[in-house]
Amino acid sequence: QRAKYIIPAKYLGYTIKVIKLDIPREKCENNIKNRENHPTLGVKKMKQALDMYFSKFENPSLDEGIDGIEVYTYPYNIGPKL
């Protein structure tokens, strides 16, 4: 699916950088269940959405024409410490 974005971007001379946020499924479920002031998926739809995402997700690869990949694994250690 990424090719439909990568191919035209490369054609126009853009550099392609992918940022992957690597987060465990359990953390995703917890985040969805505990959202405030935001519509949630509900438990049934949440399970369906996460099942689909985690079963179909393919890690990005430089072979796709991507110029760089950054992976941040949960818990994220980015930004200044306050």
Side-chain angles (χ1 to χ4, degrees):
Q1 284 183 324
R2 289 183 281 262
K4 68 182 174 183
Y5 302 104
I6 293 170
I7 292 169
K10 291 297 255 185
Y11 177 79
L12 293 171
Y14 287 95
T15 299
I16 310 298
K17 180 178 178 182
V18 172
I19 298 174
K20 178 187 174 202
L21 302 177
D22 189 14
I23 184 167
R25 181 186 175 111
E26 297 77 26
K27 179 64 176 154
C28 293
E29 290 175 1
N30 188 54
N31 288 351
I32 293 169
K33 288 177 185 176
N34 293 302
R35 288 182 187 173
E36 292 184 20
N37 300 318
H38 188 284
T40 61
L41 296 170
V43 176
K44 184 176 179 181
K45 286 185 180 180
M46 173 193 69
K47 182 177 176 355
Q48 291 172 342
L50 291 177
D51 284 349
M52 185 171 69
Y53 173 78
F54 281 97
S55 69
K56 294 184 181 268
F57 178 79
E58 294 181 19
N59 280 306
S61 166
L62 297 177
D63 294 338
E64 297 176 74
I66 296 168
D67 298 299
I69 302 169
E70 288 185 31
V71 178
Y72 295 94
T73 302
Y74 181 83
Y76 309 119
N77 187 17
I78 55 176
K81 301 219 182 224
L82 302 176

